[in-house]
Amino acid sequence: MEAAEILVSALIVIGALFILVGSYGLLKLDSPMSRLHAPTKSGTLGVGSTLAASMVYAFVWGVGSVHELLIMAFLFVTAPVSAMFIAKVAIHRRRVAVEPPSPPEDSTWATKAAPVAEENA
């Protein structure tokens, strides 16, 4: 049991350090893109480590639980997607001297809607 206690404690401390670094980066970095990088990477690793500690604890001291795997899977899928959308907003809000090119006719993945031609009825 002593090795499991050390493992759980180490995973919690590692997770807390990653979350602390991500929070600090979110507050102290200046540009939106670098500010976005800190919490998405280190926050995900910190929460993953904390959930791993919870899994080890559940398997050693009680009934095993795999709910944490579902939480980790959801987190590892949603964090990059939300970061991508936040990055797109930061790119579009950036002030540039030159107008960006028109989006392609295919609007499946366009981030800026193309003007719709009005039909004469």
Side-chain angles (χ1 to χ4, degrees):
M1 286 265 219
E2 186 175 319
E5 291 172 356
I6 293 172
L7 178 62
V8 169
S9 299
L11 286 171
I12 289 173
V13 169
I14 290 169
L17 288 174
F18 272 114
I19 292 171
L20 180 67
V21 167
S23 301
Y24 183 77
L26 179 65
L27 293 173
K28 292 297 180 180
L29 294 174
D30 55 351
S31 71
M33 292 303 222
S34 59
R35 188 177 289 167
L36 174 69
H37 184 73
T40 55
K41 304 299 180 214
S42 62
T44 302
L45 289 173
V47 172
S49 179
T50 306
L51 289 171
S54 176
M55 283 181 62
V56 170
Y57 180 84
F59 277 107
V60 171
W61 284 281
V63 179
S65 173
V66 292
H67 293 108
E68 290 86 355
L69 286 177
L70 296 172
I71 296 170
M72 276 194 252
F74 181 75
L75 180 69
F76 290 159
V77 168
T78 58
V81 172
S82 62
M84 181 190 66
F85 284 128
I86 293 171
K88 279 187 174 187
V89 169
I91 288 170
H92 284 293
R93 290 180 55 113
R94 188 179 300 162
R95 306 281 192 259
V96 292
V98 179
E99 184 66 26
S102 299
E105 295 298 321
D106 179 17
S107 64
T108 305
W109 289 100
T111 58
K112 184 177 180 183
V116 178
E118 295 181 16
E119 294 181 21
N120 293 332

